[in-house]
């Protein structure tokens, strides 16, 4: 399966990182960072004409970063939309009378207007295709004596299909008309419905929707939603279904309460059509999803427990579901795997007392869903359960290894080359700027390093930035062969120049925007490797590109060491 198109990576300046200050930096911190870099890049400090010209470029960039971050209005624009927001043509948010919060509100208003214009051309189609497959003859114990290997495909039949499709027609941000319908056939008998609904957002706290449909008799329903308090909300629906036997009214109401940050409780009452009452407790966190449902109805009552374990690192979900009720019981277990940015594949096995063993394979791609319930056995037997569990896993493993992985790898390489080509001119400028910055830093580098060596402080002996090949012990081999050499750059000089009072502090942004840095491998995961001396002891650390860094790590011995130094300095000052 081909990987969906990834979002394009656009290289954009980050003024915070260029000045090496956090995003919540105070005006004083911004002023101090500006003064430090101004002294480093001021053209008057360089006699050589070439260095003087390069210093002017970096000095102007430093001034630009300071002008933006020291101005509350420009800083609010930059924080909200980035550099593109500073291009003032057509922007009402540059009025000097507006506060930073008003600037953000103005931008959000303009975004809503643009979104409203996009809605006019947006239909948001959604669809669902379900194919029911009957494969019970494969495991029928009564036909084993008469079956042979040639009959395997004739034992599988399509017993039913269903299609649903919906198309939205947003009129405004508050008004939406939706046309949807369904068509289904099962064992030679079919039926279909078509509906149109009009939804209106009454306020930020509620909406109403009128739905009219035709199929098994005309139906009219009125739905509504309302937020009652910060933690309490409700919705309701009134239904009128017209049949040959008269009008069948129905009423559904739900009251929900937010119990804590991750937990919501629901109480639902249904009157008229299939009267019932149910209560459900849902807990949804970043690692798991749990729901407990108790349903009490005239026709059917049951208890349902559903659990999902989320493995975000592997883009995987493990599912389990058990239901016990008046119509029997069933157990479900399965797995869902994200195979691309907009696609996921799931397989679920259901073991039911009433229906036997069923395997359901489902593919979600964007707003379309394709489901294939395969009824394997009408009885609970070991063989159907085993094959329903193992065969999908083996099939996916083989397909992933020999089909999906090669396609995804090829796609990533193609996207990587595309990103390199798109940013080629920009990166050449950045690379040239970084080399110029390093040349301008050499005098400062020598001075800071000499000071740190004299007091046995923080001395950066080697620093590399880019895409490393693991294990780290193989770095020398990589450098000798030249493989991926263009994906790793030496940043020893820039980092030593950032050392202040035997400390190096970097913030949680991409290091490619630091002076003397550039991105050697756009679109790839990068790391920063630092080897350094502190108190004449050798240390090494490696961090991801966007991780914060503070070296040396504060410890008790280091605090005592600083206290001793300060105490000695105080004694010397008192003496003289």
């Amino acid at each position: 399966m081909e990987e969906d198109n990834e979002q394009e990576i656009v290289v954009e300046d980050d003024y915070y990182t260029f000045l090496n200050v956090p995003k919540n930096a105070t005006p004083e911190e911004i002023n101090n960072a500006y003064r430090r870099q101004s002294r480093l890049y001021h053209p008057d400090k360089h006699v050589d004409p070439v260095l003087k010209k390069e210093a002017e470029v970096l000095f102007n960039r430093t001034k630009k970063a300071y002008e933006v971050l020291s101005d509350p209005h420009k800083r609010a624009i930059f924080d909200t939309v980035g550099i593109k927001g500073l291009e003032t043509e057509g922007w009402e948010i540059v009025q000097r009378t507006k506060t930073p919060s008003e600037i953000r509100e103005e931008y959000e208003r303009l975004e809503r207007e643009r979104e409203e214009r996009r809605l006019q051309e947006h239909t948001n189609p959604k669809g669902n295709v379900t194919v029911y497959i009957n494969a019970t003859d494969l495991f029928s114990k009564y036909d084993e004596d008469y079956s042979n290997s040639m009959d395997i495909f004739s034992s599988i039949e399509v017993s039913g299909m269903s299609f649903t499709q919906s198309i939205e027609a947003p009129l405004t941000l508050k008004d939406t008309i939706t046309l949807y319908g369904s068509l289904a056939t099962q064992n030679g008998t079919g039926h279909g419905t078509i509906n149109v609904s009009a939804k209106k957002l009454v306020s930020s706290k509620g909406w109403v929707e009128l739905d009219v449909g035709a199929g098994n008799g005309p139906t009219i329903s009125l739905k509504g939603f309302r937020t009652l308090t910060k933690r309490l909300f409700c919705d309701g629906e009134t239904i009128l279904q017209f049949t040959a036997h008269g009008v069948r009214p129905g009423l559904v109401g739900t009251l929900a309460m937010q119990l804590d940050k991750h937990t919501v409780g629901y109480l639902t009452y249904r009157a008229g059509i299939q009267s019932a009452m149910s209560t459900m407790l849902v807990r949804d966190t970043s690692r798991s999803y749990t729901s407990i449902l108790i349903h009490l109805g005239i026709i059917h009552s049951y208890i349902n427990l559903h659990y999902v374990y989320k493995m975000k690192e592997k883009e995987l979900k493990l599912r389990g579901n058990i239901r016990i009720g008046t119509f029997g019981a069933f157990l479900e277990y399965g797995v869902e795997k994200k195979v691309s940015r907009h696609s996921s594949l799931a397989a679920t096995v259901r073991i039911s007392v009433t229906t036997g063993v069923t395997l359901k394979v489902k593919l979600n791609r964007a707003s379309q869903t394709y489901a294939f319930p395969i009824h394997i056995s009408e009885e609970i037997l070991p063989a159907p359960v085993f094959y329903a569990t193992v065969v999908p896993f083996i099939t996916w493993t083989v397909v992933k290894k020999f089909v999906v992985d090669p396609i995804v790898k090829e796609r990533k390489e193609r996207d990587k080359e595309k990103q390199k080509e798109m940013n080629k001119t920009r990166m050449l400028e950045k690379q040239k700027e970084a080399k110029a910055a390093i040349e301008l830093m050499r005098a400062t580098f020598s001075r800071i390093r000499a000071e740190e060596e004299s007091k046995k402080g923080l001395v950066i002996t080697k620093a590399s930035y880019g895409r490393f090949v693991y294990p780290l012990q193989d770095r020398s081999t990589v450098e000798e062969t030249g493989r991926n050499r263009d994906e790793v750059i030496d940043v020893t000089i820039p980092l030593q120049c950032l050392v202040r009072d035997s400390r190096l502090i970097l913030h949680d942004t991409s290091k490619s925007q630091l002076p003397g840095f550039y991105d050697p491998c756009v679109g790839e995961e990068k790391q920063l490797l630092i080897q350094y001396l502190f108190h004449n002891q050798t240390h090494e650390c490696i961090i991801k590109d966007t991780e914060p860094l503070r070296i040396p790590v504060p410890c008790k011995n280091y605090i005592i060491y600083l206290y001793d130094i300060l105490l000695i300095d105080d004694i010397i000052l008192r003496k003289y």
Side-chain angles (χ1 to χ4, degrees), residues 182-367:
S182 65
L183 182 64
T185 176
Q186 187 76 26
N187 296 324
T189 303
H191 65 275
T193 61
I194 184 168
N195 294 67
V196 60
S197 69
K199 183 176 181 180
K200 183 176 183 62
L201 186 65
V202 179
S203 67
S204 60
K205 294 184 177 182
W207 52 262
V208 293
E209 180 179 357
L210 178 64
D211 191 304
V212 178
N216 297 326
T219 59
I220 299 175
S221 68
L222 181 64
K223 306 174 186 176
F225 172 86
R226 175 72 179 179
T227 299
L228 303 176
T229 65
K230 186 177 180 181
R231 302 176 64 179
L232 193 66
F233 52 94
C234 68
D235 63 62
E237 180 181 6
T238 301
I239 309 167
L240 292 177
Q241 183 177 5
F242 298 87
T243 67
H245 304 287
V247 180
R248 297 178 61 191
L251 177 66
V252 180
T254 299
L255 181 66
M257 175 178 282
Q258 185 86 34
L259 302 177
D260 60 35
K261 183 179 180 181
H262 301 289
T263 309
V264 181
Y266 299 88
L267 181 63
T268 301
Y269 176 73
R270 182 186 296 269
I273 305 172
Q274 296 182 352
S275 296
M277 178 177 284
S278 63
T279 179
M280 183 168 64
L281 189 66
V282 176
R283 181 169 179 80
D284 191 1
T285 67
S286 60
R287 302 299 299 180
S288 66
Y289 172 91
T290 307
S291 70
I292 301 174
L293 172 64
I294 300 176
H295 179 90
L296 301 175
I298 296 176
I299 300 176
H300 184 29
S301 299
Y302 59 85
I303 298 175
N304 191 91
L305 175 62
H306 185 205
Y307 179 78
V308 179
Y309 180 67
K310 305 174 186 177
M311 304 171 68
K312 287 191 174 181
E313 301 80 8
K314 297 182 179 181
E315 297 182 326
L316 194 70
K317 294 180 180 179
L318 302 179
R319 300 179 178 275
N321 191 23
I322 185 170
R323 177 179 293 185
I324 301 174
T326 53
F327 283 0
F330 69 78
L331 169 67
E332 279 187 352
Y333 56 89
V335 62
E336 180 181 341
K337 170 68 176 176
K338 187 176 181 181
V339 295
S340 70
R341 194 158 68 100
H342 297 295
S343 303
S344 63
L345 186 64
T348 305
V349 178
R350 173 180 285 196
I351 303 171
S352 173
V353 174
T354 55
T355 59
V357 182
T358 303
L359 169 64
K360 185 176 181 180
V361 179
K362 184 168 67 173
L363 171 64
N364 291 313
R365 183 168 178 81
S367 58

Side-chain angles (χ1 to χ4, degrees), residues 80-93:
T80 305
V81 289
I83 290 180
K84 66 179 180 180
L86 299 171
E87 300 171 359
T88 58
E89 183 178 355
W91 284 79
E92 301 159 67
I93 56 178

Side-chain angles (χ1 to χ4, degrees), residues 47-64:
V47 180
D48 185 273
V50 177
L51 292 178
K52 192 178 187 72
K53 187 175 180 180
E54 292 173 343
E56 287 178 359
V57 175
L58 289 165
F59 182 69
N60 289 334
R61 188 179 171 195
T62 303
K63 283 177 59 180
K64 180 65 176 176

Side-chain angles (χ1 to χ4, degrees), residues 434-553:
K435 291 180 179 179
I438 290 175
E439 290 300 318
L440 297 170
M441 291 176 183
R442 291 193 180 276
T444 304
F445 164 77
S446 300
R447 176 180 58 80
I448 293 177
R449 183 158 185 163
E451 291 175 357
E452 294 296 326
E453 287 176 343
S454 65
K455 60 182 180 181
K456 298 181 181 180
L458 180 60
V459 178
I460 308 295
T461 57
K462 179 69 176 178
S464 300
Y465 174 70
R467 180 175 179 267
F468 298 118
V469 178
Y470 293 94
L472 295 177
Q473 290 82 349
D474 296 336
R475 287 197 305 271
S476 59
T477 305
V478 174
E479 293 177 359
E480 289 174 4
T481 59
R483 180 186 174 192
N484 294 328
R485 184 178 296 172
D486 59 333
E487 296 185 346
V488 178
I489 59 175
D490 189 312
V491 290
T492 307
I493 292 177
L495 284 186
Q496 185 69 70
C497 290
L498 292 175
V499 173
R500 298 285 180 272
D501 300 323
S502 299
R503 290 183 301 170
L504 174 62
I505 300 175
L506 303 178
H507 305 286
D508 55 350
T509 56
S510 175
K511 310 302 180 287
S512 61
Q513 296 290 329
L514 288 168
F517 283 63
Y518 67 92
D519 193 337
C521 46
V522 177
E524 296 284 347
E525 291 186 1
K526 293 169 281 290
Q527 297 85 26
L528 176 62
L529 170 70
I530 304 177
Q531 297 172 344
Y532 62 94
L533 292 174
F534 186 68
H535 295 174
N536 290 336
Q537 297 291 322
T538 302
H539 303 272
E540 179 179 283
C541 68
I542 185 168
I543 62 169
K544 293 181 180 180
D545 185 26
T546 56
E547 284 185 12
L549 173 72
R550 180 188 177 95
I551 55 173
V553 177

Side-chain angles (χ1 to χ4, degrees), residues 138-193:
L138 290 176
F139 296 94
S140 176
K141 61 183 179 179
Y142 302 107
D143 298 334
E144 287 180 354
D145 297 335
Y146 304 100
S147 62
N148 56 64
S149 59
M150 298 298 294
D151 294 331
I152 184 170
F153 293 106
S154 62
S155 302
I156 301 174
E157 64 176 9
V158 175
S159 59
M161 298 182 70
S162 68
F163 305 87
T164 62
Q165 187 71 32
S166 69
I167 299 175
E168 288 184 359
L171 304 179
T172 67
L173 286 177
K174 293 185 177 182
D175 301 291
T176 304
I177 293 179
T178 304
L179 178 67
Y180 63 97
S182 65
L183 182 64
T185 176
Q186 187 76 26
N187 296 324
T189 303
H191 65 275
T193 61

